Amino acid sequence: MTTANHNIPAMTQSMSSLNRYRESLQQLQSTWDNLSLLSQLSGTGTDMSETRQAFGKVTTDVLDSLARETLNKTITAITAKAQVAVDIVVRNLFERTADIGFLSTDDNLSNFLDKHLAGSADEDDYMLLRERFSEYVQKYSVYFNVILLDAGGNILVQLDEDNPARQSHDPLIKEALHSDEPYIEVFRHSDLSPGQDASLIYARRVCHDDSDDSDDSDDALGVLCLCFKFENEMDGIFKDLIRKNEWCVGLLLDEQDRVVASSDHYQIPLGAPLEHAQGQDWILTRFAGRLYLAVTRETKGYQGYMGPGWRGHVMIPLEHAFEDNVANIIAGIDGKLLKKVMRSPLLFSATLLGIPKQAATIQSKLNQSVWNGNIWQKRDASHNAQQNNFSKMLLWEISNTGFKTQNVVEKTVADLYQTVVAVMLENSRFFASLAVDIMDRNLYERANDCRWWALTATFQRLLSQPELSMQEKNAITKVLVYINKAYTVYSNLVVFDRHGCIVAASNPAYQRLVGETITADWVKAALQLRHSQDYVVSDFEPSPLYGNQPTYIYAAAIRHQEQTVGGIGIVFDSTPQFSTMLADALPRGADNDVVKGSFTLYVDEKLRVISSTSRDFAVGSHFAVHPELCKLAPGSTGFDIALYNGNYYAVGARASAGYREYKDAGDSYKNHVTALIFIPLGKAADINAMIDSENLLQQNQFKPASNQAAAADAEEYATFYIGKHWLGLPASHIVEAVQANNIKPLPDTSSVLEGMLKHEDNVVPVLNLARLTGIDFQPPEQDKQIVIVQAGPKLPKFGLLVSALGEIPAIAPHAIEPLSAFFATINIPAEGIAKVMTEKGENLLILLSAVNLITRISEAAQQVNSHAAASNAEAGDMLEQAA
């Protein structure tokens, strides 16, 4: 498929959250322009051009990514709806193709037609057949009319007495009479239903029960037509797919791209011609003066049946396509879990995951520039006090604007991450709902089948006898085998007598059970039923009728002249059927492949696994991952994030609520089953490694104070960090902070000296304070941060390898206490310690002595020189030059 990328910029105007961030960044860009000009005029020494360009690139990248993911969120949602809308109805219609094939062979129909043709059918015969149609529709309530016609197109019997049609000239009748296809399917206007613009009708000829059903119209006695409640069915599908607060419109399109079903007739009426999006992920289309985002999906079909040629189509008004509901979606998710999956390499590219780090690095470098600017202001005696105050205020504004820009970028990225996670969570809930819907619709048919087949005249007549001969048992078996061949969802069908003794089975593998009495509770319950609408279902448990594997068995009483004479049990082939249902509900990517690592389950109210696409959850095993999701009220949905087997998952759940009359308020059968969908969000180990690596990176956090008021005798200290330890030197002793990749290492790797660095025209030694003091700090491989120190014009320069730069507080002499007041012994070249109030509260600052540091460097240099004399004369020369 292709995507209309050229339309993305036009749609971003409808993305409210994106526009909020863009406006904020545009305002900051204007501030950057002003600060850059002022910085050049004031001579602070801080160049804004590189920072502006770096932030500009990052913000462009993150806004583009947010636009794509915002679009993807909507496309993903409406694509799933379009696919499900057409696939669900095709699944339903597949059952209808079986219905017409089976009902058209009902002996009652051929016997009636024989009588009619002989002129012997009386009013009782008409009433009895109409009552049989009524019984049928009471069970298969998807039909609004059942019509039996003779070969001349005359309507003989129909369920709907209000239908004025008495004869049909529809070509459907002639086609059915001359066709040996198992069904004829039409959707159009028909004189069989004159009050409707279009009807979905299934037809098949009715032949003598001993006919071979060959293509010979002379064998045809008439035609049976089943009229499907198409509009009613689509209303139910759209109601489940589209919530009341959603703006999208669900549609079905025919082969001419005309609307045959619409969830909102006021927006998109029936019969309207639309532009389809086949071959594309999505399109922008205009209808009735309004722009819509639209997707179109072909049906995947069901068991080879592709339906009447319809396609699922969903449209959403562009102005409502990107409404920001992410916060509501993730509101109930544990914040810690959410932060974890928002760093998942599975969900996000390395580029996207690196944006916060990239923004922080830009701000860190800016902080270094501002830190240096403050240091230069301190050392530059040519500026007067007023000019220095202005420069410091300007540096403060530069730093503050940088933090604001970084903050907006981080919030935009957080929105981006949350949007992606919200899509996964919504997908999990949506596909869990699909899994339950597929199950409920399938089992609805099973409840219908057992009740209808219990009305089979052969069963009723033969079981009413005191005893059955082998020939009579074979007659029952023949019917069961015929049914089972047409309805392959069953592993076995059995008929039992009024004592629960099996008299016939459809599956030859279970013929050995004929003559045995079934003692299961469902048999006793079935024999106690007194109404043709009643049925019972076994627990999901092992049964000898299913190879001692767990399944559901649907059963109904077989009655004759108001007496129960036996019953029928239909054994659902649960293992493959449930597996297929769950597989069909698995989330799929744009390539229509199942999302790798995802799996689905059906779990009952006792937390027993009924079926699963994962080998980790065996049928019958106990489900213990987020078990509270299996306690939802019927029809309710939920989702969460779960950690299972070292992986994070979006877990969606939907509790069964039944379909039509099946398991509704008036149905005595209740069975709480929950569908769960697990969609992978990433491996815990990968996520933890990502977070750990980010935690190791320490950025410059310098932010100059806007209020420079301090005691008259206070002195400014330039501070920095070694790991988590906060250290400082008088600002007057600092030259600048630099980042260097070209430190010349020394041969003595145990030395406290990191190496030698060329700074301006000098070669200076770089002291590794962490190594000197035993502080746990591993310097980065690249861009090592060095603070260049020169305590006086006659003292040598040297460098300090630091983790990050800190504040430049002004500290009065009386606020400094000797180290001995805190520590009995300490191996730090320091002269005191001070308690300093920062934005994060009071913190201890260790004040170093530049003279003591020079002494340590000299001692280390002597050791290195002696080592270098033997192994590396060049290093010794460099140390001598530095000294």
Side-chain angles (χ1 to χ4, degrees), residues 292-309:
Y292 287 86
L293 189 63
V295 299
T296 309
R297 289 295 175 268
E298 297 277 359
T299 180
K300 297 194 294 286
Y302 183 64
Q303 295 193 16
Y305 171 71
M306 302 304 291

Side-chain angles (χ1 to χ4, degrees), residues 217-529:
S217 59
D218 292 340
D219 290 330
L221 302 173
V223 175
L224 176 69
C225 294
L226 296 177
C227 302
F228 183 69
K229 293 180 179 177
F230 176 65
E231 187 174 347
N232 171 267
E233 173 65 12
M234 293 311 303
D235 286 345
I237 290 174
F238 289 141
K239 182 180 178 181
D240 288 340
L241 279 180
I242 301 171
R243 297 190 294 272
K244 289 182 179 179
N245 61 340
E246 290 187 282
W247 282 90
C248 58
V249 183
L251 305 155
L252 287 183
L253 304 182
D254 64 15
E255 293 171 318
Q256 287 75 45
D257 294 324
R258 292 190 176 273
V259 176
V260 297
S262 173
S263 66
D264 188 340
H265 294 197
Y266 295 102
Q267 277 199 74
I268 314 291
L270 296 178
L274 296 178
E275 180 185 8
H276 67 74
Q278 280 182 282
Q280 301 181 82
D281 290 338
W282 55 271
I283 59 170
L284 270 181
T285 184
R286 188 184 299 275
F287 183 82
R290 197 177 196 182
L291 269 178
Y292 287 86
L293 189 63
V295 299
T296 309
R297 289 295 175 268
E298 297 277 359
T299 180
K300 297 194 294 286
Y302 183 64
Q303 295 193 16
Y305 171 71
M306 302 304 291
W310 297 331
R311 287 162 292 177
H313 189 77
V314 173
M315 300 167 63
I316 185 168
L318 189 59
E319 68 267 29
H320 296 292
F322 309 111
E323 292 183 344
D324 188 7
N325 62 342
V326 172
N328 293 332
I329 295 173
I330 64 174
I333 303 299
D334 182 85
K336 292 181 180 178
L337 287 177
L338 191 60
K339 286 181 179 179
K340 287 273 191 179
V341 298
M342 283 169 59
R343 307 304 297 152
S344 171
L346 180 66
L347 301 184
F348 309 101
S349 66
T351 301
L352 286 182
L353 287 172
I355 286 178
K357 177 182 175 181
Q358 193 177 353
T361 300
I362 295 169
Q363 178 62 29
S364 183
K365 290 181 178 179
L366 175 63
N367 288 342
Q368 185 188 83
S369 298
V370 175
W371 194 86
N372 283 335
N374 275 265
I375 295 298
W376 294 332
Q377 292 295 320
K378 179 70 177 177
R379 295 173 63 88
D380 192 345
S382 65
H383 289 177
N384 58 39
Q386 186 176 0
Q387 189 175 8
N388 278 341
N389 286 337
F390 172 77
S391 296
K392 286 185 177 182
M393 286 296 295
L394 179 58
L395 290 169
W396 180 84
E397 286 293 344
I398 290 171
S399 180
N400 194 47
T401 303
F403 277 110
K404 287 181 179 178
T405 307
Q406 181 188 359
N407 186 48
V408 174
V409 170
E410 288 178 347
K411 285 185 177 179
T412 311
V413 172
D415 249 22
L416 168 64
Y417 292 162
Q418 290 176 1
T419 298
V420 174
V421 175
V423 169
M424 307 299 282
L425 291 169
E426 283 281 71
N427 278 352
S428 70
R429 174 164 59 185
F430 180 85
F431 287 104
S433 298
L434 174 61
V436 155
D437 195 28
I438 290 173
M439 179 190 72
D440 282 342
R441 286 167 173 271
N442 190 299
L443 298 184
Y444 158 84
E445 304 289 347
R446 312 300 59 97
N448 297 339
D449 290 347
C450 72
R451 292 178 293 174
W452 178 248
W453 295 336
L455 299 179
T456 302
T458 299
F459 299 162
Q460 295 173 328
R461 177 174 52 82
L462 293 179
L463 287 175
S464 65
Q465 300 175 177
E467 290 188 15
L468 291 175
S469 66
M470 183 57 67
Q471 183 178 1
E472 291 168 332
K473 290 181 180 181
N474 289 339
I476 295 175
T477 301
K478 181 180 178 181
V479 175
L480 291 180
V481 170
Y482 171 77
I483 295 173
N484 208 165
K485 283 182 178 179
Y487 292 81
T488 56
V489 297
Y490 301 110
S491 168
N492 194 14
L493 310 177
V494 295
V495 167
F496 47 90
D497 64 19
R498 69 192 73 195
H499 305 293
C501 179
I502 299 175
V503 297
S506 65
N507 190 333
Y510 295 93
Q511 286 298 317
R512 68 184 187 282
L513 298 179
V514 173
E516 293 190 10
T517 299
I518 312 173
T519 58
D521 291 341
W522 61 267
V523 175
K524 298 174 184 176
L527 292 172
Q528 293 175 2
L529 299 177

Side-chain angles (χ1 to χ4, degrees), residues 178-216:
H178 291 84
S179 174
D180 61 353
E181 294 296 324
Y183 64 91
I184 304 294
E185 177 184 60
V186 298
F187 180 73
R188 52 173 167 72
H189 175 72
S190 172
D191 59 8
L192 290 167
S193 299
Q196 297 195 17
D197 293 334
S199 299
L200 181 58
I201 301 174
Y202 291 85
R204 193 185 185 196
R205 66 184 184 179
V206 179
C207 300
H208 291 286
D209 58 0
D210 58 350
S211 170
D212 61 2
D213 206 27
S214 62
D215 187 10
D216 186 350

Side-chain angles (χ1 to χ4, degrees), residues 841-860:
E842 191 175 73
N843 199 1
L844 290 179
L845 172 63
I846 298 174
L847 302 178
L848 300 176
S849 165
V851 175
N852 287 344
L853 291 172
I854 292 171
T855 301
R856 297 294 182 92
I857 291 172
S858 297
E859 293 172 355

Side-chain angles (χ1 to χ4, degrees), residues 672-713:
H672 190 94
V673 176
T674 303
L676 298 115
I677 304 285
F678 284 68
I679 303 177
L681 299 178
K683 292 183 178 180
D686 293 345
I687 293 172
N688 291 335
M690 172 74 68
I691 294 172
D692 290 343
S693 66
E694 291 172 348
N695 289 339
L696 289 175
L697 183 64
Q698 194 169 359
Q699 301 284 4
N700 297 323
Q701 293 298 312
F702 171 64
K703 187 175 182 181
S706 58
N707 184 4
Q708 296 293 327
D713 59 347

